[in-house]
Amino acid sequence: MEVRAAGLGMLRVVCLFAVFDAVCLLDSGMLFPRESPSREVKELNGLWDFRADDSTNRNQSFERAWYKKRLAETGPVIDMPVPASYNDITQDAALRDFIGWVWYEREVVVPARWISDEGTRVVLRVGSAHYFSIVWVNGVKVTQHAGGHLPFEVEIGSLIRKDPTTPCRITIAVNNTLNLDTLPPGKIQYMEDRTKYPEGFFVQYIYFDFFNYAGIHRPVLLYTTPKAYVDDITVVTDFLDNAGLVKYKVSVQGAATGTISVTLKDKDGRSVASSSKPSGVLKVEDVNLWWPYLMHENPGYLYSMEVHLMATDGRSTYEDMYTLPVGIRSVAVTSTQFLINDKPFYFHGVNKHEDSDIRGKGFDWSLIVKDFNLLKWMGANSFRTSHYPYAEEILQMCDRHGIVVIDECPGVGIKDIRSFGNASLAHHLDVMDELVRRDKNHPSVVMWSVANEPASEMPPAEFYFETLIKHTKDLDPTRPVTYITDSNYARDKGAPFVDVICVNSYFSWYHDSGHLELIPLQLNNQFENWYGKYKKPIIQSEYGADAVPGLHSDPPVMFTEEYQNIVLQSYHSVFDQKRKQYVIGELIWNFADFMTVQGLTRVVGNKKGVFTRQRQPKRAAFILKERYWRLANETGRLGLPPSNHQCHAVKYPW
Ligand code: GCB
């Protein structure tokens, strides 16, 4: 590791760790469920019974209390896979476009020991369900949750112990209706013109450009912990010379007293630091830092932090073990650079969606692994979780592979002035609490994005973003915060509060259509104006053009692969000038084609992907691949020919 200015490094460590104690999240933690000698996990994925409440008032299921009996006794049910969006599973257009409550139900066999052992907590956890969810166990309501992209959980041990002979019936009702205070916001409009619309006809308006897929999108599971358990762990990392520093805090629930031991192990299982305090700093000599992909020969290095709790409540003793992967790295922003481990980091990556054929936004390991292989193949070192938090398993992949993440909350489509009101802001703050609580320990997450393209020119945006960004920094003082703007630099009200300016622009597409020759001039001015006004580093957080795969024309016209290529190349020539100054990244819109609502500007979805929805490359993917590998060699300090990388099959002449 290189030696750096020791005084400055020390100052940063002191400042970073001093603010650590300010981190104050929700009442309880949200550790990812992992098996350990003291914890078991039982996945409830697979087929569930399913029924949509298509009554005219969309409320019959509650009037008739469907949760009280087996769903099949309330009416006809169908098979529904979990996790998956329900929209594209059947041949029924009404279910594809359904707005309202849908019901999922499944009976679960709970291991006898979980029931008989009063010292075991049994937790039901839903990775995510879009958007409102209510959960019953054996007809008793146990929890509810608002928000479609973050996990929620509830302890159900006492309930299933009431009558151990009855099977455990889990009922989950999910409603995808969006209103002006949800994230993302939406609006229901009833159509009154009886010459055009039948009685009760309504539409859901949304202000974002992806299909509002719904259902149980991520794994549902039961897991156990002892009655006294490790509830949360927070780590903040840095380094000084060749020593890694891991400041940590462990919180415990279920016991007033107990002893904790913390051991940090390297990849080979060797202990490199340990402590017997619930909080403190672990020092790792000769540290292996966590490096991004293509910035180091050995990216994504993870230590394992083993936390061991022994606690007693007077009568019984409980032992709990939880292992957290920890990557040791630092993040900092200057007026012209983004630094990871004190080295300039240039984002050459993509924007994604959780989206694919049939399963919609449903979690799917095959898709995830394929996407990571494609990212590495094309030399992408980063992505933004446009426009909502992705599954935790995806962030774990990023940690392991060194893919850098801008972690975005679902604040997309805040366009109506009423969505800047108090109720919306309060919900937005809650969502940031939940997001930071879930993702704070991922080394891959280097920045929070609190919104995408809000109407940031509206007067209330100033107070809204000042409050939101300050709150996010209070939650996590260790990471920069941004939001993504498409507003004009002169009118944008939130930019004074962000650490990095992220700008989306679509020159020669949504305006000056067909005029590819204007891109350099307009893009150059965009950068100069934003930097001139704010003196903050800039990421081109979106740019691109639709291309229907297989459509060709020369000279290029819109929607052909050639047009998409020229758009990309025209942007790239400007990036190459500005990245030597203050542009710190470029994220293509989009990694892959994705589904949207039907409309005049969308041809079976948004076609700005450089891969098709089935993950086959368009010509643009090869252009990006060549560029990203070249950038990796220039900016990543890799100094290696691309052939040294197993994911890289084609040789280029540099
Ligand atoms: C944007 C949005 C993104 C859209 C994209 C487009 O600015 O942030 O959600 O899909 O433009 O293709 O119009």
Side-chain angles (χ1 to χ4, degrees):
M1 203 176 71
E2 263 177 48
V3 180
R4 62 188 169 150
L8 271 184
M10 175 58 99
L11 182 66
R12 192 192 62 208
V13 171
V14 170
C15 294
L16 190 70
F17 284 180
V19 290
F20 177 82
D21 291 329
V23 178
C24 164
L25 296 168
L26 297 163
D27 290 347
S28 60
M30 189 54 77
L31 290 174
F32 185 78
R34 291 175 195 281
E35 289 181 326
S36 81
S38 60
R39 295 172 175 233
E40 289 164 78
V41 176
K42 183 179 165 73
E43 289 210 347
L44 305 183
N45 300 337
L47 290 187
W48 289 52
D49 279 352
F50 176 92
R51 189 177 174 202
D53 177 355
D54 52 11
S55 58
T56 316
N57 70 358
R58 291 289 194 269
N59 206 34
Q60 206 178 74
S61 48
F62 285 91
E63 289 157 7
R64 300 196 178 163
W66 284 7
Y67 50 87
K68 281 201 173 150
K69 45 188 166 191
R70 284 182 50 238
L71 198 55
E73 289 169 33
T74 69
V77 293
I78 59 172
D79 286 344
M80 190 55 69
V82 170
S85 303
Y86 58 75
N87 309 75
D88 292 344
I89 298 292
T90 73
Q91 298 310 102
D92 182 0
L95 183 59
R96 181 192 62 204
D97 299 330
F98 184 78
I99 311 287
W101 290 103
V102 298
W103 292 69
Y104 288 78
E105 184 209 74
R106 161 158 185 184
E107 280 187 2
V108 181
V109 178
V110 182
R113 198 196 54 74
W114 293 12
I115 299 177
S116 60
D117 181 359
E118 298 263 345
T120 294
R121 290 172 68 244
V122 180
V123 183
L124 170 62
R125 174 177 167 122
V126 179
S128 77
H130 189 70
Y131 180 86
F132 293 100
S133 307
I134 307 180
V135 184
W136 296 262
V137 172
N138 294 336
V140 178
K141 181 175 164 184
V142 289
T143 193
Q144 62 181 36
H145 184 255
H149 310 89
L150 288 164
F152 53 95
E153 61 180 34
V154 57
E155 213 269 301
I156 60 166
S158 53
L159 201 68
I160 54 179
R161 275 179 202 121
K162 268 192 188 147
D163 181 2
T165 56
T166 21
C168 169
R169 180 167 50 86
I170 299 173
T171 312
I172 306 180
V174 185
N175 193 329
N176 60 348
T177 309
L178 301 175
N179 62 45
L180 290 170
D181 298 328
T182 57
L183 275 190
K187 196 171 71 181
I188 295 286
Q189 179 145 347
Y190 281 85
M191 301 307 208
E192 307 299 349
D193 183 346
R194 289 287 156 266
T195 64
K196 291 186 179 161
Y197 307 101
E199 177 86 33
F201 187 92
F202 67 90
V203 285
Q204 164 91 77
Y205 286 119
I206 51 175
Y207 311 101
F208 52 87
D209 182 36
F210 52 91
F211 195 87
N212 191 32
Y213 278 112
I216 301 179
H217 283 156
R218 297 187 190 146
V220 181
L221 41 91
L222 291 176
Y223 73 91
T224 64
T225 74
K227 216 166 135 191
Y229 61 100
V230 175
D231 178 52
D232 200 10
I233 306 170
T234 305
V235 296
V236 169
T237 66
D238 206 331
F239 64 98
L240 202 53
D241 301 328
N242 66 346
L245 302 168
V246 179
K247 177 142 187 175
Y248 71 93
K249 183 155 72 185
V250 177
S251 54
V252 170
Q253 293 273 2
T257 56
T259 56
I260 283 180
S261 69
V262 175
T263 311
L264 197 68
K265 292 189 172 167
D266 67 13
K267 272 211 156 139
D268 300 321
R270 278 189 297 259
S271 166
V272 292
S274 61
S275 162
S276 54
K277 301 213 171 75
S279 61
V281 181
L282 300 172
K283 192 170 174 195
V284 185
E285 300 297 348
D286 293 323
V287 64
N288 279 306
L289 292 178
W290 184 92
W291 287 99
Y293 176 55
L294 300 180
M295 208 170 169
H296 194 267
E297 290 81 353
N298 188 12
Y301 191 96
L302 295 175
Y303 292 87
S304 297
M305 181 188 263
E306 292 182 5
V307 178
H308 187 182
L309 166 74
M310 288 289 281
T312 168
D313 64 1
R315 282 176 303 152
S316 316
T317 302
Y318 303 100
E319 185 174 7
D320 191 19
M321 271 162 269
Y322 188 88
T323 301
L324 181 77
V326 172
I328 301 177
R329 56 107 182 96
S330 69
V331 168
V333 174
T334 72
S335 62
T336 56
Q337 288 180 318
F338 197 96
L339 303 173
I340 296 184
N341 300 337
D342 289 349
K343 297 275 191 297
F345 176 76
Y346 187 77
F347 295 79
H348 44 89
V350 306
N351 291 276
K352 290 184 93 266
H353 264 300
E354 288 182 318
D355 175 272
S356 70
D357 285 338
I358 303 173
R359 47 191 67 59
K361 293 203 175 302
F363 178 89
D364 177 10
W365 271 122
S366 309
L367 181 77
I368 291 170
V369 175
K370 178 73 176 174
D371 281 3
F372 272 79
N373 285 333
L374 291 175
L375 287 170
K376 293 177 84 172
W377 171 85
M378 75 194 288
N381 64 2
S382 52
F383 66 79
R384 168 164 77 110
T385 68
S386 45
H387 292 305
Y388 37 79
Y390 293 177
E392 291 161 275
E393 292 85 343
I394 296 178
L395 296 182
Q396 289 162 7
M397 287 283 281
C398 291
D399 293 343
R400 288 178 39 236
H401 291 271
I403 301 293
V404 168
V405 175
I406 301 173
D407 200 353
E408 187 155 292
C409 93
V412 53
I414 306 177
K415 303 285 189 194
D416 189 302
I417 198 155
R418 288 166 290 176
S419 294
F420 285 99
N422 289 341
S424 298
L425 180 57
H427 179 56
H428 208 147
L429 299 177
D430 287 347
V431 172
M432 287 313 300
D433 289 350
E434 288 183 33
L435 176 62
V436 174
R437 174 178 67 166
R438 192 194 73 162
D439 292 349
K440 61 188 170 178
N441 293 326
H442 288 286
S444 56
V445 173
V446 299
M447 182 155 65
W448 305 110
S449 162
V450 297
N452 178 69
E453 296 186 1
S456 54
E457 70 289 352
M458 284 183 180
E462 185 169 349
F463 173 74
Y464 193 95
F465 283 107
E466 182 175 9
T467 312
L468 186 59
I469 292 170
K470 183 177 174 313
H471 180 80
T472 308
K473 289 188 178 189
D474 287 346
L475 289 171
D476 179 5
T478 71
R479 288 179 177 90
V481 182
T482 190
Y483 71 85
I484 315 295
T485 187
D486 65 343
S487 159
N488 185 295
Y489 75 101
R491 289 183 293 136
D492 191 282
K493 300 261 185 291
F497 311 110
V498 303
D499 298 304
V500 172
I501 305 275
C502 288
V503 195
N504 297 346
S505 53
Y506 289 92
F507 304 127
S508 88
W509 192 260
Y510 290 118
H511 53 85
D512 302 307
S513 306
H515 286 284
L516 291 161
E517 74 281 10
L518 297 178
I519 294 177
L521 174 73
Q522 296 186 358
L523 185 57
N524 195 65
N525 284 335
Q526 166 197 284
F527 286 141
E528 288 294 283
N529 288 335
W530 279 99
Y531 191 75
K533 181 153 183 196
Y534 290 106
K535 300 281 184 293
K536 294 180 186 182
I538 304 177
I539 295 177
Q540 181 75 40
S541 41
E542 287 180 25
Y543 71 105
D546 289 73
V548 177
L551 266 195
H552 295 286
S553 89
D554 184 39
V557 296
M558 292 173 76
F559 290 101
T560 63
E561 295 201 31
E562 286 74 15
Y563 195 94
Q564 185 184 38
N565 289 350
I566 304 283
V567 168
L568 266 51
Q569 286 164 333
S570 308
Y571 270 77
H572 295 165
S573 63
V574 180
F575 295 158
D576 280 337
Q577 294 157 30
K578 298 298 175 193
R579 72 186 165 84
K580 304 202 170 78
Q581 301 170 27
Y582 49 76
V583 168
I584 57 164
E586 52 188 86
L587 303 176
I588 187 76
W589 191 264
N590 190 285
F591 172 73
D593 294 345
F594 58 91
M595 196 44 71
T596 63
V597 287
Q598 300 181 55
L600 287 177
T601 58
R602 296 290 174 253
V603 191
V604 196
N606 187 309
K607 291 280 185 285
K608 294 194 185 70
V610 296
F611 295 97
T612 64
R613 201 182 192 208
Q614 296 72 33
R615 275 46 180 186
Q616 297 306 323
K618 301 181 193 171
R619 276 301 309 159
F622 295 95
I623 288 184
L624 278 188
K625 179 185 181 195
E626 178 167 346
R627 175 171 177 78
Y628 284 179
W629 280 97
R630 186 171 334 112
L631 285 171
N633 276 284
E634 280 177 33
T635 67
R637 283 159 191 76
L638 198 61
L640 297 172
S643 54
N644 280 12
H645 290 267
Q646 56 170 30
C647 290
H648 190 79
V650 182
K651 287 214 166 72
Y652 292 103
W654 58 79

